[in-house]
Amino acid sequence: MKAAALLLLSALVGSAFAATGIDVSQLFSTSDWSCVSSYGYTFAIIRCYCSTGHTDSNCAQSIRNAKAAGIQYVDVYIFPCPTCGSSGASQVQATVDYVANNGVASSVGQYWLGT
């Protein structure tokens, strides 16, 4: 009985702190993000480095648009390019620099590494 109660409690606590999110790899307008938000999404993960070896030029604007539409949690992800001639560390640094140079660093929670 105690085990069942503990299992139920852990399931309820876990779902209480969950965020429903969306992964985007294209420019989303504020209107797009407002639509996403209206369906209860509170989390966005936006591509910021492409597998072709460069930062995604739409990333900063998608971050701004997501925040303007009320998306609470915004993270970015990096698809590294192991054959592009630059190290993984330099690709991560390029992403961090891009986010900072475009004035959206304070809007980003975490940086994710894709595979």
Side-chain angles (χ1 to χ4, degrees), residues 87-104:
S87 70
S90 66
Q91 293 175 44
V92 170
Q93 190 61 57
T95 305
V96 171
D97 291 345
Y98 169 86
V99 168
N101 292 339
N102 281 279
V104 292

Side-chain angles (χ1 to χ4, degrees), residues 21-72:
I22 185 172
D23 165 348
V24 300
S25 60
Q26 297 179 9
L27 180 63
F28 263 47
S29 68
T30 304
S31 175
D32 294 332
W33 285 115
S34 292
C35 180
V36 167
S37 180
S38 74
Y39 282 92
Y41 289 80
T42 59
F43 173 69
I45 184 164
I46 299 169
R47 182 182 66 192
C48 208
Y49 195 91
C50 303
S51 61
T52 53
H54 57 84
T55 54
D56 185 333
S57 61
N58 293 316
C59 178
Q61 192 59 52
S62 284
I63 292 168
R64 286 185 199 97
N65 293 346
K67 294 305 276 187
I71 299 294
Q72 188 174 1

